[in-house]
Amino acid sequence: QVRLVESGGALVQSGGSLRLSCAQFGSTMRLDPMAWYRQAPGKERELVAEISLSFGTRYSASAKGRFTIGKGSVKDGMYLQMDNLQPEDTAVYYCNGRWSQHSYWGQGTQVTVSS
């Protein structure tokens, strides 16, 4: 009933910026919380940032101060503004949203930061 699609990933130089977007298709139920995860090669998927009506926003230690998560309407979806990107940020970034016991994932978008 819900499909999430990420976009905005690209190859950027160290210190550059990217803005990732997560669009919701299908059901218009408002997912909460929503979050951005990332998974680097050979590593486990990790939580980067999340947003909820219950607690506002939360960030991982590495993301705090550099990344900003935001959420608009159901149609507009969610974004992740990433500034001062570093090579260690290289990963596939995934959009996630939850509703009740359901959890929805996007297909991921590749972010590569060159040194």
Side-chain angles (χ1 to χ4, degrees), residues 1-5 22-32 34 74 95-100 102-107:
Q1 292 184 329
V2 173
R3 185 163 60 91
L4 301 176
V5 180
C22 176
Q24 181 177 332
F25 299 90
S27 176
T28 58
M29 66 177 72
R30 193 168 190 90
L31 308 178
D32 189 278
M34 295 195 73
V74 173
C95 174
N96 173 262
R98 279 164 274 175
W99 184 83
S100 186
H102 300 279
S103 182
Y104 302 93
W105 292 90
Q107 84 291 341

Side-chain angles (χ1 to χ4, degrees), residues 35-38 45-50 58-60 62 98:
W36 287 97
Y37 289 75
R38 69 185 182 189
R45 187 171 299 186
E46 62 178 351
L47 178 64
V48 178
E50 55 186 343
R58 295 197 288 221
Y59 299 89
S60 68
S62 63
R98 279 164 274 175

Side-chain angles (χ1 to χ4, degrees), residues 62-97:
S62 63
K64 195 171 186 178
R66 299 187 300 128
F67 295 1
T68 303
I69 187 172
K71 183 181 178 183
S73 66
V74 173
K75 180 181 179 180
D76 292 338
M78 179 178 64
Y79 68 84
L80 182 67
Q81 177 67 41
M82 304 186 293
D83 298 318
N84 192 25
L85 285 162
Q86 301 298 309
E88 52 264 36
D89 295 316
T90 295
V92 177
Y93 284 71
Y94 296 91
C95 174
N96 173 262

